[in-house]
């Protein structure tokens, strides 16, 4: 009887997990992160959701939830990565302008750098 229960549990877990992996056209893409503000909000919210799932039993249902949560987190991280790359470029402008004593560029690019960086770390 225990083998039958085990088989039933495995079969049920497969039925739960299969929809998440159904096909590329049906595959969940996660919530978008089109702006830095949206990326930060999704990053915070979905980290909290992931933390709650990880605090419980990692059942097949929980594994499916983790799978879905990671799509939104990946989108948020990609946007953050893009924004950090742009921020590095702006800071490099400030750096090079400071070497040339280009006060106009240091001021304008420096203010842009600070404004953008403060959106990430307030």
């Amino acid at each position: 009887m225990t083998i039958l229960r085990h088989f039933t549990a495995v079969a049920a877990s497969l039925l739960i997990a299969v929809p998440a992996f159904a096909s590329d056209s049906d595959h969940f893409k996660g919530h978008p992160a089109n702006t830095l503000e949206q990326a930060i909000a999704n990053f915070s919210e979905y980290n909290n959701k992931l933390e709650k799932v990880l605090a419980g039993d990692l059942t097949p249902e929980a594994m499916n939830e983790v799978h879905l949560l990671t799509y939104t987190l990946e989108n948020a991280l990609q946007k953050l990565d893009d924004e950090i790359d742009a921020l590095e470029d702006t800071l490099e402008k400030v750096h090079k302008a400071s070497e040339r004593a280009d006060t106009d560029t240091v001021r304008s690019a420096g203010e842009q750098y600070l404004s953008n960086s403060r959106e990430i770390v307030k």
Side-chain angles (χ1 to χ4, degrees), residues 49-113:
K49 289 180 179 191
L50 180 60
E51 183 177 36
K52 286 179 184 174
V53 174
L54 294 176
D57 292 334
L58 293 178
T59 63
E61 295 88 356
M63 296 299 285
N64 189 50
E65 188 172 353
V66 167
H67 181 78
L68 295 176
L69 292 172
T70 60
Y71 284 104
T72 297
L73 286 167
E74 289 168 355
N75 292 343
L77 285 172
Q78 183 60 59
K79 182 62 175 177
L80 288 168
D81 184 50
D82 293 346
E83 293 291 331
I84 294 292
D85 288 345
L87 198 56
E88 289 172 338
D89 292 343
T90 304
L91 184 60
E92 185 63 15
K93 283 182 188 176
V94 174
H95 176 85
K96 288 184 176 182
S98 72
E99 291 175 343
R100 298 185 313 271
D102 178 353
T103 57
D104 291 338
T105 301
V106 167
R107 183 167 316 281
S108 63
E111 288 172 357
Q112 180 185 1
Y113 167 81

Side-chain angles (χ1 to χ4, degrees), residues 23-49:
S23 74
D24 286 339
S25 63
D26 294 337
H27 211 74
F28 186 69
K29 292 178 176 53
H31 296 285
N34 297 319
T35 66
L36 179 58
E37 183 178 80
Q38 190 177 31
I40 291 169
N42 287 350
F43 187 66
S44 178
E45 178 183 349
Y46 280 74
N47 273 344
N48 289 336
K49 289 180 179 191

